[in-house]
Amino acid sequence: MKLHSTPTQQYQTITAYEKDSVEINAITYNYSLIVLPESKPQQWSATSFEQLTAEDFAQIEATVPDVVILGTGNKQRFVHPKLTAALAAKRIGVECMDNQAACRTYNILMAEGRKVALALIMETA
């Protein structure tokens, strides 16, 4: 699905998404990544929801966001609180949703000027 352009194009904006990829400022990514408004997307070590570890969330914590939008793949799943305990201890919220909803939510929060991190799990077959 293509998304409409907004005046936020100087930031890392989700411009389209599919079942197994995401487009950020017209560049397609088909692997798990962490997206922040003001820096280039970085590959994320998470390869599947079932194999998430606390170390995966430590990579997100290092970006120091206020809130994390966690895209859990093609369906919404909820991560165990013990995996996000370090984030919660620093008062960093984590919201879990499917990748499509996560992309839309990230764009909204980013456009509002929020310090948001989008963490997308792109599961490979």
Side-chain angles (χ1 to χ4, degrees), residues 62-106:
T63 67
V64 196
D66 289 337
V67 64
V68 176
I69 305 302
L70 176 62
T72 59
N74 293 318
K75 64 180 182 177
Q76 182 181 29
R77 295 177 270 190
F78 296 95
V79 68
H80 194 284
K82 72 179 179 182
L83 295 176
T84 59
L87 293 169
K90 292 191 174 183
R91 304 185 58 82
I92 299 171
V94 178
E95 297 294 331
C96 300
M97 51 194 77
D98 67 67
N99 282 358
Q100 293 182 0
C103 288
R104 292 187 303 267
T105 302
Y106 164 81

Side-chain angles (χ1 to χ4, degrees), residues 16-98:
Y17 50 78
E18 297 293 332
K19 180 179 177 184
D20 58 354
S21 66
V22 64
E23 185 181 280
I24 301 169
N25 294 348
I27 299 172
T28 301
Y29 299 86
N30 59 0
Y31 51 83
S32 297
L33 57 121
I34 298 171
V35 184
L36 301 164
E38 297 181 353
S39 59
K40 181 180 177 186
Q42 57 183 289
Q43 189 163 359
W44 189 28
S45 56
T47 56
S48 74
F49 181 82
E50 293 76 20
Q51 295 178 356
L52 282 172
T53 66
E55 290 76 29
D56 293 324
F57 289 96
Q59 188 178 354
I60 299 169
E61 181 184 351
T63 67
V64 196
D66 289 337
V67 64
V68 176
I69 305 302
L70 176 62
T72 59
N74 293 318
K75 64 180 182 177
Q76 182 181 29
R77 295 177 270 190
F78 296 95
V79 68
H80 194 284
K82 72 179 179 182
L83 295 176
T84 59
L87 293 169
K90 292 191 174 183
R91 304 185 58 82
I92 299 171
V94 178
E95 297 294 331
C96 300
M97 51 194 77
D98 67 67

